[in-house]
Amino acid sequence: MEIMNISKQYKGIDRREAILEEAKRFFLEKGYAETSMSAIAAKVGGSKGTLWSHFPSKEALFRAVIERLAGEFHKVYTDLLNPQAEIEIALNQYGCHFCRNIIEPDKRALFRLAIVECWRFPEVGKIFYEAGPQTAMRKLASYFASAMEKKQIRQEDPEYAASFFLHSLCARSKASRLYNIPQGNLANKEEIEADVSQIVSLFLKAYAP
């Protein structure tokens, strides 16, 4: 009966999207090791063959889930890094959205999942890093390279600048995300904006042309 209800829930939704949505819930709640393809197939409804036709392995399914989440994340932030906007405004907008995003429950759960599971399943850490932090760093580095060419900031290694800026944004929330400590003021909109404003100010002073 439960399987039938889940199937009705996903009626009219693309089968691949339904699988990805249910797989995300399984991975975040149970972890990589405890999630099985059979359990996901049972929840979504249909045969295991249908699931395997879309995703030939659990690793492939996990990669698709992460890339789907990361794709939504990166699209927003690519739009925020508008090369036509004043760099201080663009970085403040980027930083505020970034900090709010990484403390969302799903993102915190995903971060901890990658940290815990990567020691037993190195592919988990690799998939998470490539789709998330590495891609974010490359996109931001590209933005900084353009800003350096326009002499908005000093000419330095753009990848190092991107790493420096992103790690600064993550610093205060890292303990909360890693150890599941309550957010406190870190989840407050005004607190985030104040933190990001200070980080952007320090960054632009450090990279002043």
Side-chain angles (χ1 to χ4, degrees), residues 131-177:
Q134 186 179 68
T135 299
M137 203 168 298
R138 285 176 176 171
K139 288 180 179 293
L140 189 57
S142 176
Y143 172 79
F144 283 148
S146 176
M148 289 171 185
E149 288 178 6
K150 297 174 184 175
K151 302 190 184 306
Q152 294 175 314
I153 54 177
R154 190 175 69 253
Q155 187 71 46
E156 295 284 353
D157 181 348
E159 290 190 5
Y160 184 87
S163 175
F164 177 77
F165 186 71
L166 286 175
H167 281 90
S168 297
L169 292 176
C170 293
R172 285 197 67 193
S173 67
K174 187 173 183 179
S176 172
R177 292 182 294 124

Side-chain angles (χ1 to χ4, degrees), residues 42-178:
K43 279 289 185 180
V44 176
S47 68
K48 284 190 287 185
T50 301
L51 174 58
W52 287 94
S53 70
H54 286 285
F55 306 100
S57 67
K58 185 165 72 169
E59 180 180 336
L61 177 56
F62 182 75
R63 179 180 293 278
V65 168
I66 299 304
E67 288 178 347
R68 180 171 175 255
L69 286 170
E72 298 167 358
F73 180 93
H74 294 310
K75 183 183 185 307
V76 172
Y77 296 106
T78 298
D79 293 343
L80 288 172
L81 291 174
N82 181 358
Q84 306 306 319
E86 185 180 338
I87 189 169
E88 184 175 3
I89 294 173
L91 290 180
N92 268 287
Q93 290 178 335
Y94 178 96
C96 287
H97 280 270
F98 182 90
C99 289
R100 284 196 292 268
N101 190 289
I102 63 175
I103 61 174
E104 289 178 355
D106 278 3
K107 304 304 190 306
R108 293 169 65 196
L110 179 59
F111 177 75
R112 290 195 298 274
L113 182 153
I115 295 296
V116 170
E117 301 280 28
C118 70
W119 299 102
R120 290 185 296 169
F121 305 98
E123 66 273 17
V124 169
K126 183 174 184 292
I127 290 168
F128 174 80
Y129 177 73
E130 289 177 348
Q134 186 179 68
T135 299
M137 203 168 298
R138 285 176 176 171
K139 288 180 179 293
L140 189 57
S142 176
Y143 172 79
F144 283 148
S146 176
M148 289 171 185
E149 288 178 6
K150 297 174 184 175
K151 302 190 184 306
Q152 294 175 314
I153 54 177
R154 190 175 69 253
Q155 187 71 46
E156 295 284 353
D157 181 348
E159 290 190 5
Y160 184 87
S163 175
F164 177 77
F165 186 71
L166 286 175
H167 281 90
S168 297
L169 292 176
C170 293
R172 285 197 67 193
S173 67
K174 187 173 183 179
S176 172
R177 292 182 294 124
L178 191 57

Side-chain angles (χ1 to χ4, degrees), residues 184-196:
N185 287 337
L186 289 179
N188 180 279
K189 181 176 181 289
E190 289 73 23
E191 187 79 11
I192 288 173
E193 289 176 352
D195 278 354
V196 171

